[in-house]
Amino acid sequence: MTETTMRVPVAGGSLDVRVGGGTGPVLVFVHYWGGSADTWDGVLGRLPTGQATVRFDQRGWGTSRWLPGPYHLDRLADDLARVLEVCVTGPFVVVGHSMGGKVSQLLAARRPAGLAGLVLVAPAPPQPPATVTEEYRKNLSHAYDSPETVHYVLDSVLTAAPLIGAVRATAERDSRAAGAEARLEWPLRGIAQDITAAVRDVDVPVTVLAAERDVVEPAHVVREHLLPHLPHATLTVVPGAGHLLPVEAPGAVATALAEFSTGLQR
């Protein structure tokens, strides 16, 4: 897949956005806390030839780590809205993973022109479960403190089986490629933010992918804390995978995206 880079002005600077030309609806990818645009490499490599795509590093992460804060969900949704305004013409589908899924829900609730659908991949739900206690959030905030904590989290929390090779190297790099404030914003505040009032305004088709062995956002949490607020959403549980669905099961994610996009065009 051939991509070009567009520089998109946002508050305090700009984002480098990778745009893959092709037919639509355009798939716009939003990565997880600890990820980057590269999180989606395996998925993009398995999409139908000629699929139009957009991806970027969110504020505070990767190539966007130098952008100033705040790094809260609304600011990340503002950035996503700017990317859409500048880089997308015609219908598009927002694809959000984990934290990116929560940002995507907020964006969809704004009902931007051209939004055709929403795909949520192992998403953080709009209603935080009771397990998201202050102690849990404090512990989570240290997940990416050092190479040792990154190794532990990748092997014991985020995945069902250890990542290997280039995929592993990318995940390790991305986990540490953040500004201090951005790294803390999600675990200390964003994960606990209740956005159910906004999510009720989502009025496009929604499909949700949960992972059978996800201990971060288990399927039962998605059923209990997301589906009641998006009653028209459909849920699929991907067998054998953990929270990092885009890198553990990229084929399953790509197939779901292709089927969703095809359904929108009927």
Side-chain angles (χ1 to χ4, degrees):
M1 177 179 292
T2 301
E3 294 176 303
T4 58
T5 300
M6 297 181 65
R7 182 153 289 181
V8 176
V10 293
S14 62
L15 296 167
D16 288 335
V17 181
R18 293 185 239 171
V19 179
T23 57
V26 183
L27 300 179
V28 181
F29 294 93
V30 192
H31 66 77
Y32 75 105
W33 177 70
S36 74
D38 291 336
T39 298
W40 303 100
D41 282 351
V43 175
L44 267 65
R46 291 166 173 82
L47 291 173
T49 302
Q51 171 65 57
T53 60
V54 168
R55 55 176 171 161
F56 63 100
D57 295 350
Q58 293 198 77
R59 180 182 296 264
W61 293 91
T63 60
S64 305
R65 74 171 71 93
W66 311 118
L67 279 172
Y71 302 99
H72 54 65
L73 293 174
D74 288 300
R75 173 53 59 86
L76 298 183
D78 291 343
D79 290 344
L80 177 54
R82 284 290 295 145
V83 168
L84 296 171
E85 290 170 6
V86 174
C87 299
V88 178
T89 58
F92 62 90
V93 172
V94 176
V95 186
H97 174 220
S98 192
M99 177 187 78
K102 201 165 185 178
V103 174
S104 299
Q105 292 166 56
L106 280 176
L107 184 283
R110 299 180 184 184
R111 300 183 178 181
L115 179 64
L118 182 63
V119 177
L120 302 175
V121 182
Q127 179 188 49
T131 51
V132 180
T133 62
E134 183 176 358
E135 180 181 8
Y136 173 86
R137 289 184 284 124
K138 285 182 178 178
N139 289 336
L140 183 62
S141 71
H142 296 292
Y144 301 142
D145 279 358
S146 68
E148 292 73 25
T149 60
V150 168
H151 293 166
Y152 172 79
V153 169
L154 283 176
D155 291 340
S156 303
V157 180
L158 293 178
T159 61
L163 303 177
I164 59 174
V167 171
R168 170 78 180 210
T170 297
E172 290 182 358
R173 179 204 68 193
D174 289 347
S175 299
R176 298 282 291 152
E181 290 181 50
R183 194 164 64 243
L184 293 174
E185 175 62 33
W186 171 251
L188 295 184
R189 287 169 287 276
I191 196 172
Q193 184 176 338
D194 189 322
I195 62 168
T196 52
V199 168
R200 296 189 190 106
D201 291 329
V202 175
D203 64 347
V204 293
V206 181
T207 195
V208 183
L209 301 181
E212 179 186 34
R213 297 176 62 187
D214 190 343
V215 299
V216 179
E217 305 294 355
H220 72 85
V221 167
V222 174
R223 288 191 182 96
E224 295 167 11
H225 295 272
L226 186 146
L227 294 185
H229 308 291
L230 290 169
H232 55 294
T234 61
L235 172 66
T236 299
V237 178
V238 178
H243 187 62
L244 296 193
L245 263 177
V247 295
E248 293 184 81
V253 175
T255 297
L257 291 173
E259 292 175 351
F260 186 70
S261 296
T262 299
L264 293 176
Q265 298 175 72
R266 287 174 182 160

